[in-house]
Amino acid sequence: MKLYQALRNVAKFRTIFDFGEREVAHWFPGHMAKGLKQMRASLKSVDCIIEVHDARIPLSGRNPVFRESLDVKPHVLILNKMDLADLSKKQRILKKLEKHGIRNVLFTDSLKQRDDNVKKLVPMVVEIIESQPRFNREENTNLCLMVIGVPNVGKSSLINSLRRTNLKKGRASRVGGEPGITKAVLTKIQVCERPIMHLLDTPGVLPPKIESVETGMKLALCGTILDHLVGEDIIADYLLYSLNRLEKFSYVERYDLQEPSDNIQHVLKRIAVKLGKTQRVKAITGVGNITVTVPNYTAAAYDFIRAFRKGELGQVMLD
């Protein structure tokens, strides 16, 4: 009876997320603008574009500026962080991408010490390049690729994984859990000996204007936009809405809830209590000031979001 009641409650959950009057911050700092300008200027020495994106949002959030200005070269789309994505929807995603003219797609998990899919990238790129005229670079047997993508999708991790796989060498690009780690523009890094192949590492670049609030929220949820620019509270609420919509209820057991909930304040309170994330605040009463202990909702929201990004709330596909 209890399970039946819980399922009935789930059926009443939100089917549309109310963004209200919110606007997602447009995050386009100086190093992004500089990076995009230099990417365009360096195209003549590039044989193939490697675009890296988050496999959880394979359709949303890809920078349209890339397609408009950099799509003159052979193009491979790497959908990274496949370990966090619900790959039961892989074929549907591939068909949608093909309708947009994107046929060279590879799913990867570049943080794995050995990823068989990363091994496929060099042969794939060589085959694509050999099928295309190289014009002013036809006498040069060395290959040069440009790695592009929005922030925090794993471009540097992919480069390091390619070096591990093909050169047996350690990392050459700094990796971090927040967007904006790579700020240097067009760092050239060797990733293969046969053939000699270099990658141009580039900073993550978001479009100057994100096409919709929902797209921006998906980007924020996946850590592509700094949390404080959007607000941990709204990101956590959108996460709860998304998990319920996808029928991913592992958060219930993780945070000792009795049943799935559509109320983010209730969920965050339970998280704060379970993890001991509380704070003492002064309350003004009619008989004087007293100090009370209340849940730290911001800390609870951060834990909820971080658990999702680490894959601890299950594999999802947000598109």
Side-chain angles (χ1 to χ4, degrees):
M1 184 66 180
K2 185 177 179 181
L3 176 62
Y4 173 73
Q5 185 62 44
L7 293 175
R8 284 189 61 185
N9 291 340
V10 168
K12 299 175 184 177
F13 286 177
R14 292 169 290 180
T15 56
I16 298 175
F17 190 83
D18 182 11
F19 294 102
E21 300 300 318
R22 291 184 177 92
E23 288 188 9
V24 176
H26 299 153
W27 192 51
F28 200 73
H31 75 271
M32 289 192 181
K34 180 181 179 182
L36 187 57
K37 183 178 179 180
Q38 292 200 17
M39 286 180 214
R40 290 169 175 155
S42 301
L43 274 179
K44 62 183 179 182
S45 63
V46 171
D47 297 302
C48 184
I49 299 289
I50 308 294
E51 181 187 350
V52 186
H53 201 58
D54 194 311
R56 292 169 293 182
I57 46 173
L59 306 174
S60 293
R62 292 178 58 223
N63 192 336
V65 176
F66 292 151
R67 298 195 289 275
E68 294 163 7
S69 60
L70 303 179
D71 207 19
V72 295
K73 296 285 183 175
H75 191 110
V76 175
L77 175 62
I78 302 291
L79 293 174
N80 196 32
K81 305 186 182 183
M82 61 179 286
D83 56 311
L84 305 178
D86 180 1
L87 295 185
S88 66
K89 301 177 181 179
K90 179 178 176 180
Q91 292 305 315
R92 176 178 65 84
I93 293 298
L94 289 174
K95 286 180 180 178
K96 284 191 174 183
L97 289 170
E98 190 170 0
K99 286 182 179 179
H100 290 89
I102 303 166
R103 295 178 176 84
N104 302 311
V105 182
L106 198 60
F107 285 80
T108 63
D109 175 9
S110 59
L111 288 180
K112 281 180 65 174
Q113 199 63 27
R114 297 179 64 86
D115 181 5
D116 290 337
N117 284 356
V118 170
K119 291 181 182 179
K120 298 175 184 177
L121 181 57
V122 169
M124 175 187 283
V125 166
V126 170
E127 183 179 350
I128 292 169
I129 292 174
E130 287 180 347
S131 67
Q132 302 279 337
R134 295 181 77 202
F135 300 113
N136 63 315
R137 289 177 50 74
E138 60 185 3
E139 295 179 2
N140 187 348
T141 57
N142 295 354
L143 303 180
C144 183
L145 319 180
M146 183 184 290
V147 181
I148 64 174
V150 298
N152 202 28
V153 291
K155 297 183 296 298
S156 297
S157 296
L158 176 67
I159 291 171
N160 293 334
S161 180
L162 283 167
R163 283 174 60 82
R164 279 198 311 270
T165 301
N166 299 304
L167 297 178
K168 312 304 179 188
K169 293 186 177 180
R171 72 183 193 180
S173 279
R174 186 179 166 206
V175 176
E178 287 189 350
I181 292 296
T182 302
K183 291 186 170 67
V185 176
L186 299 181
T187 304
K188 193 172 184 178
I189 302 167
Q190 184 174 356
V191 295
C192 191
E193 186 66 39
R194 297 182 180 179
I196 295 176
M197 181 180 292
H198 290 86
L199 297 185
L200 294 179
D201 192 11
T202 64
V205 178
L206 284 168
K209 184 173 177 60
I210 296 170
E211 61 187 35
S212 72
V213 177
E214 180 135 25
T215 293
M217 200 59 67
K218 290 178 182 179
L219 287 166
L221 184 51
C222 292
T224 293
I225 301 173
L226 288 170
D227 292 345
H228 72 268
L229 295 177
V230 181
E232 288 86 351
D233 57 340
I234 180 68
I235 297 174
D237 195 17
Y238 185 75
L239 170 57
L240 180 63
Y241 159 78
S242 299
L243 292 174
N244 288 335
R245 180 174 58 85
L246 296 170
E247 299 182 352
K248 303 283 186 178
F249 301 124
S250 62
Y251 69 89
V252 174
E253 182 177 357
R254 179 182 177 87
Y255 296 117
D256 293 339
L257 275 72
Q258 291 186 338
E259 60 185 20
S261 173
D262 199 29
N263 185 326
I264 188 60
Q265 293 300 313
H266 171 68
V267 172
L268 293 182
K269 184 176 181 180
R270 289 299 310 159
I271 294 174
V273 170
K274 177 176 173 59
L275 302 180
K277 296 184 180 294
T278 58
Q279 56 189 349
R280 295 173 66 81
V281 299
K282 285 185 178 180
I284 301 174
T285 69
V287 293
N289 298 346
I290 61 171
T291 301
V292 296
T293 300
V294 298
N296 187 331
Y297 288 100
T298 300
Y302 178 72
D303 186 90
F304 191 35
I305 296 165
R306 185 177 59 180
F308 165 77
R309 291 174 181 163
K310 293 171 68 176
E312 294 170 353
L313 299 180
Q315 298 170 315
V316 303
M317 185 74 76
L318 295 172
D319 282 340

